[in-house]
Amino acid sequence: MENPYESTPVPVSLQSGMDSDSKPQVCVWYSVYCACFLLLYILVGIGGIILLLFANEIAASGSRPDKDAERISNIVGGIFLMVISFFLSIVFAVGLNVPRKKWGWIYGFFPIAIGLTSPCCMPASIPLLIFWLNPRTKRWFNVD
């Protein structure tokens, strides 16, 4: 009689999609995640450029009495948005093309961690992180 508490191996016919050669579904969703954030940060960069180019007009139409301070804050804000969006666009563009190597799996944490900093992005980032830590994903990236 067999021991009911021992796990029995799953037959090969039931292991559809379980081999190490097929790309895990989390990699597809990770690419979608990186593409969405890349688009977001490109748009933020465009917003920074617009803020910088129209700093005078925005300050003139504002309700503050000190138009010079508002113009300077628009210029600083535009430069800040352009710089931040440039670097984050690079992070997510590289994330789109991570190779199937150990460092590619490790690099995948950085874009996911950036999404974890915002409560509105956590519903996407947390499940992505959970599946990114899956042993099957590690095997696909040759981490084991």
Side-chain angles (χ1 to χ4, degrees), residues 84-97:
I84 291 297
S85 69
F86 174 75
F87 287 114
L88 290 175
S89 294
I90 290 173
V91 168
F92 285 99
V94 172
L96 271 173
N97 301 308

Side-chain angles (χ1 to χ4, degrees), residues 24 26-27 105 131-132 134-142:
V26 68
C27 294
W105 181 78
F131 285 104
W132 195 256
N134 191 333
R136 181 167 178 253
T137 308
K138 288 180 179 180
R139 269 193 314 273
W140 195 78
F141 277 99
N142 299 318

Side-chain angles (χ1 to χ4, degrees), residues 21-118:
D21 290 336
S22 68
K23 189 174 191 176
Q25 193 68 28
V26 68
C27 294
V28 175
W29 286 109
Y30 175 76
S31 296
V32 170
Y33 174 83
C34 285
C36 289
F37 269 96
L38 178 60
L39 178 64
L40 172 74
Y41 287 116
I42 288 171
L43 293 174
V44 167
I46 291 170
I49 292 169
I50 291 171
L51 186 61
L52 191 61
L53 291 176
F54 296 105
N56 292 331
E57 291 82 1
I58 294 170
S61 68
S63 61
R64 283 188 177 171
D66 190 7
K67 304 294 182 193
D68 240 8
E70 190 168 349
R71 182 181 61 80
I72 291 172
S73 74
N74 289 340
I75 291 171
V76 170
I79 291 171
F80 177 76
L81 287 176
M82 288 184 341
V83 170
I84 291 297
S85 69
F86 174 75
F87 287 114
L88 290 175
S89 294
I90 290 173
V91 168
F92 285 99
V94 172
L96 271 173
N97 301 308
V98 290
R100 194 176 162 184
K101 296 183 179 178
K102 183 177 181 178
W103 74 265
W105 181 78
I106 294 169
Y107 184 86
F109 284 108
F110 294 106
I112 295 171
I114 291 170
L116 289 171
T117 62
S118 171

Side-chain angles (χ1 to χ4, degrees), residues 6-30:
E6 287 183 6
S7 63
T8 57
V10 178
V12 177
S13 62
L14 297 177
Q15 293 180 353
S16 62
M18 297 277 292
D19 57 349
S20 63
D21 290 336
S22 68
K23 189 174 191 176
Q25 193 68 28
V26 68
C27 294
V28 175
W29 286 109
Y30 175 76

